[in-house]
Amino acid sequence: MAPRNLTENNEFLLMGFSEESELQPLIYGLFLSMYLITVFGNLLIILAVSSDSHLHTPMYFFLSNLSFVDICFTSTTIPKMLWNIQTQNKVITYEGCIIQMYFFLLFSGLDVFLLTVMAYDRYVAICHPLHYMAIMNPQLCGLLVLVSWIIGVLHSLLESLMVLQLSFCTVLEIPHFFCELNQMIQLASSDTFLNNVVMYSGAVLLAGSSLMCILYSYSKIVSSIYEISSAQGKYKALSTCASHLSVVSLFYCTGLGVYLSSISIHSLHSNARASVMYTVVTPMLNPFIYSLRNKDLKRGLKMSFGKLSIKGPIFLGLKKYP
C-alpha cells in the first residue's frame, strides 16, 4: 500500500494497555486515582513553598518548579487516556497527537533539566557553603529555569517538526496510551533515518549530558562529605541530598527500564506498561519523597492551610533569603 499523508486520514487510534473490556473500569479507576494524587501532591508542594517565607530559597524554588512541571507532564497524557476509556473511543486526531507529543517532550525534558539544576544547587550548598547565597542568587536561579525552558521548547519543537514531514499508511494504531515520539516514527511509511538520528542524538546530548552533570556534582559532594570530620555533619550534608538523589535514581532507572523493555520485549502493550513508571509513578512519588521527614515543608503546608488566600504568583516563590 502506498504511503499517504495524514491530511487525507487525520486520526490515530491509541490502543492503550489492554483491549479487554472487563479491565477498562479497573484501569480507569487506577489511573484516575494516581492522577489525582499526583496533581494534589504537587500542588501542596507549590502551596507550601509559596506560603512559608522560610522556604523562599533556591532549593525550594527549583522544587516548586519541578512540581509544576510534573503536574503538566502527567496532564499531557492521563486525561486523554481517561477520556478515551470513559467514552470507549480510542481516536485522537493527527493535530491532537502532534500537540500531545510536543508537550510530552517539553515537560519530560524540563524534568531532566530541573533535576540537573537541583544537583548543581546541592553541589554549591555543600562544596561552597560560605558562598552559597552569593552564587545561587535570585537572578541566577531565574536564569537557570529560563534556559531550561528555552532548551526544552526548542528540542520538542524540532522533534515535532521532524514528525510533521513523515507520511503514514492507513493503519494508524499506536500500541500505547499516548503519542510517543518513537512509536510515531515506527508507524511512518516514509524514510525515518533522519528522524531516528535526531531522536537518539537529542536523547544522548540532553539526557546523557544532564546525567553526566549530575554524576559530576555528586562526585564532588561525596568528596566534600568525606572530608567532614564529625558524623553529625556528614549526616546533615547527606540528608540534604537524599531526596533529590532518590528522585534522580527513580527517574533515570525507570526511563532506562522503559528503553530496555522496548528493545527486548515484543508485546504490543509492554512498552506502554513500562512507560507508566516514569510518566505517572515517578511524578506521583516525588511529593512524598521530598516531604518525607522534611519539617520545613510540613510547616509550610500548615501555613498554607491556615491562610484563606495566597497572594502573588504561586510557583515564583523566590523572593529573598531568610
Side-chain angles (χ1 to χ4, degrees):
M1 181 179 293
R4 56 174 178 164
N5 195 278
L6 278 176
T7 52
E8 298 177 38
N9 187 350
N10 60 346
E11 291 181 346
F12 283 112
L13 293 178
L14 295 174
M15 304 311 293
F17 299 99
S18 174
E19 297 181 24
E20 299 180 17
S21 58
E22 59 270 17
L23 291 179
Q24 300 308 307
L26 176 62
I27 295 173
Y28 183 87
L30 178 63
F31 277 85
L32 177 61
S33 301
M34 289 194 294
Y35 178 66
L36 292 176
I37 292 172
T38 300
V39 171
F40 286 120
N42 283 285
L43 274 178
L44 287 177
I45 296 291
I46 296 172
L47 290 174
V49 172
S50 63
S51 300
D52 190 351
S53 60
H54 293 89
L55 299 181
H56 294 172
T57 62
M59 181 179 72
Y60 290 107
F61 170 69
F62 295 133
L63 176 58
S64 61
N65 277 272
L66 180 66
S67 295
F68 172 76
V69 169
D70 279 342
I71 293 174
C72 298
F73 185 41
T74 54
S75 297
T76 60
T77 58
I78 303 304
K80 176 58 179 174
M81 187 195 72
L82 295 175
W83 174 259
N84 287 355
I85 296 175
Q86 179 69 27
T87 59
Q88 298 181 0
N89 184 2
K90 300 178 180 180
V91 172
I92 182 172
T93 63
Y94 175 60
E95 294 81 5
C97 201
I98 295 296
I99 292 172
Q100 185 185 63
M101 184 185 66
Y102 170 83
F103 282 107
F104 179 83
L105 290 170
L106 171 61
F107 292 119
S108 60
L110 281 170
D111 256 341
V112 173
F113 301 143
L114 286 174
L115 289 174
T116 306
V117 169
M118 293 171 77
Y120 175 71
D121 171 72
R122 292 299 85 206
Y123 158 74
V124 176
I126 294 176
C127 298
H128 305 282
L130 298 180
H131 303 285
Y132 178 69
M133 295 301 184
I135 296 174
M136 300 303 295
N137 55 73
Q139 290 75 25
L140 178 62
C141 293
L143 180 62
L144 289 172
V145 173
L146 178 61
V147 170
S148 298
W149 274 92
I150 292 174
I151 297 175
V153 167
L154 292 177
H155 171 249
S156 54
L157 183 61
L158 173 62
E159 297 282 12
S160 301
L161 290 176
M162 293 291 294
V163 172
L164 285 173
Q165 306 305 313
L166 298 176
S167 298
F168 298 85
C169 292
T170 53
V171 180
L172 302 172
E173 293 184 354
I174 302 177
H176 218 299
F177 65 95
F178 67 95
C179 295
E180 189 202 22
L181 174 62
N182 188 41
Q183 295 289 339
M184 295 283 288
I185 294 176
Q186 290 180 13
L187 274 177
S189 55
S190 54
D191 182 31
T192 60
F193 174 76
L194 188 57
N195 294 80
N196 283 308
V197 169
V198 173
M199 178 178 66
Y200 288 111
S201 298
V204 171
L205 289 174
L206 299 180
S209 60
S210 295
L211 180 60
M212 292 302 296
C213 291
I214 292 173
L215 292 176
Y216 176 79
S217 297
Y218 273 101
S219 68
K220 293 295 185 180
I221 288 172
V222 171
S223 298
S224 296
I225 292 176
Y226 182 77
E227 296 174 357
I228 298 176
S229 57
S230 67
Q232 184 179 3
K234 291 182 178 180
Y235 174 78
K236 185 177 180 180
L238 283 172
S239 63
T240 62
C241 302
S243 297
H244 176 259
L245 192 57
S246 299
V247 171
V248 168
S249 302
L250 184 63
F251 184 85
Y252 275 95
C253 288
T254 53
L256 180 61
V258 170
Y259 172 74
L260 294 177
S261 67
S262 65
I263 62 176
S264 61
I265 303 175
H266 301 288
S267 170
L268 287 176
H269 301 286
S270 60
N271 193 28
R273 297 186 188 115
S275 298
V276 173
M277 289 302 298
Y278 79 95
T279 58
V280 184
V281 176
T282 300
M284 180 183 69
L285 293 180
N286 284 355
F288 296 100
I289 294 173
Y290 276 105
S291 61
L292 189 65
R293 297 181 181 178
N294 192 318
K295 295 180 181 179
D296 294 331
L297 273 179
K298 291 177 182 178
R299 182 185 63 236
L301 287 172
K302 290 180 180 178
M303 292 184 65
S304 64
F305 283 123
K307 293 182 178 180
L308 295 177
S309 61
I310 300 176
K311 299 180 180 179
I314 288 181
F315 73 97
L316 297 179
L318 188 62
K319 296 178 181 177
K320 68 177 183 178
Y321 306 135

